[in-house]
Amino acid sequence: MTHPRGTIPSPNIWHHTATYELENRAADPDGRLWDAMAARADWTDRVVLDLGCGTGFHLPRFAETAAKVIGVEPHDGLVRLARRRLRTRAVSDRAEVLAGTAQAIPLPDSSVDVVHVRWAYFFGRGCEPGLVELDRVLRPGGTALIIDNDGSRSTFGAWFRRGYPHLDPPAEIERFWSLRGWTLDRVDMGWRFASRADLEAVVRIELAPEVADEVLRHHEGVEVDYAVNLWSKTF
Ligand SMILES: C[S@@+](CC[C@H](N)C(=O)[O-])C[C@H]1O[C@@H](n2cnc3c(N)ncnc32)[C@H](O)[C@@H]1O
């Protein structure tokens, strides 16, 4: 299958979609990340863009209070699943999903108030075309929220560093965003699973088999201390 230019492969959600759903359900069980996002941007009665929305897990939550929610996603199969989610959650009148990428957002200039970008591998070093697009689609005074792993702390942060040693070190990532005027909130989001089997399945789609075996051997229970970075900027 071919994907639009600029698409970054996401093996976890592309190939293990049902397990990725368990991961989304387990994340942020006490709502700390949502609280931190709401402290940086108010989307009540506003237009929200969820960029790289995957299966649209977060769209219904935004649709509870936003005037309109648009998901943009390059993977055809996930676009279809996200649209189906909107229909089954009866929010199709306030939310839609478009095929597209961060580098070529299929929306007019100055048409969005809040952009949400979660677990976005496509927003790292070299993502300048995507940042230019954010600037284009956001109305003046609009806010972008980017959520990503914080490899500098927490149990999951340590697992992540072991699993992805080739990624930029946390200090480099912070430098990249800070230099461009983004503000950092450190959030102890956490994972809490319904069962040990769910936790193990999710760890196995996020880490290579030998790293997953090793971390699971040393970790008990259904919860994981998991820190994320919320980067925000008002344009
Ligand atoms: C790890 S998933 C996260 C999905 C969703 N944000 C969530 O929290 O459930 C990353 C998503 O980004 C999408 N993606 C990859 N490259 C992209 C790009 N250049 N622009 C926009 N989305 C992209 C992938 O197809 C995938 O659905």
Side-chain angles (χ1 to χ4, degrees):
M1 187 187 279
T2 57
H3 302 287
R5 208 164 151 236
T7 302
I8 307 285
S10 303
N12 50 9
I13 192 169
W14 286 10
H15 305 312
H16 308 278
T17 313
T19 307
Y20 197 83
E21 183 82 4
L22 298 175
E23 179 169 351
N24 260 331
R25 281 192 210 145
D28 195 26
D30 301 314
R32 292 189 197 126
L33 178 53
W34 279 96
D35 287 348
M37 285 161 43
R40 291 286 170 195
D42 180 8
W43 53 84
T44 312
D45 299 327
R46 303 280 179 81
V47 177
V48 177
L49 164 62
D50 188 6
L51 197 48
C53 71
T55 60
F57 185 88
H58 309 289
L59 301 178
R61 172 89 183 239
F62 283 115
E64 286 170 13
T65 53
K68 179 156 194 210
V69 185
I70 303 147
V72 166
E73 166 59 46
H75 186 286
D76 285 344
L78 299 188
V79 168
R80 280 196 295 279
L81 286 175
R83 286 181 179 152
R84 190 196 300 168
R85 187 191 299 273
L86 298 184
R87 284 195 301 276
T88 57
R89 297 289 295 270
V91 290
S92 300
D93 56 331
R94 270 159 295 131
E96 66 176 326
V97 180
L98 304 175
T101 64
Q103 297 89 337
I105 299 173
L107 291 175
D109 298 356
S110 301
S111 58
V112 169
D113 299 296
V114 176
V115 183
H116 169 254
V117 200
R118 195 181 290 218
W119 319 135
Y121 317 124
F122 49 93
F123 269 150
R125 196 149 42 92
C127 70
E128 286 77 5
L131 299 182
V132 171
E133 279 290 85
L134 286 189
D135 197 8
R136 181 183 67 75
V137 301
L138 274 166
R139 293 194 176 106
T143 302
L145 305 168
I146 297 183
I147 295 114
D148 219 339
N149 292 316
D150 178 355
S152 75
R153 62 200 193 93
S154 83
T155 302
F156 187 83
W159 293 357
F160 188 71
R161 276 201 319 279
R162 284 174 65 180
Y164 301 90
H166 57 285
L167 292 185
D168 285 346
E172 274 303 305
I173 296 172
E174 288 192 20
R175 201 174 131 75
F176 177 91
W177 293 106
S178 307
L179 280 175
R180 286 162 180 79
W182 291 70
T183 300
L184 173 60
D185 291 301
R186 296 182 195 278
V187 184
D188 293 311
M189 174 192 77
W191 262 354
R192 190 179 300 143
F193 290 90
S195 70
R196 177 73 188 181
D198 288 357
L199 180 149
E200 293 191 4
V202 167
V203 167
R204 292 189 187 287
I205 67 165
E206 292 298 349
L207 301 171
E210 56 284 4
V211 182
D213 283 345
E214 174 74 5
V215 304
L216 288 171
R217 234 192 332 271
H218 294 101
H219 189 87
E220 292 181 354
V222 295
E223 294 194 35
V224 179
D225 157 45
Y226 189 147
V228 297
N229 285 334
L230 167 63
W231 290 100
S232 60
K233 183 173 176 177
T234 295
F235 284 71

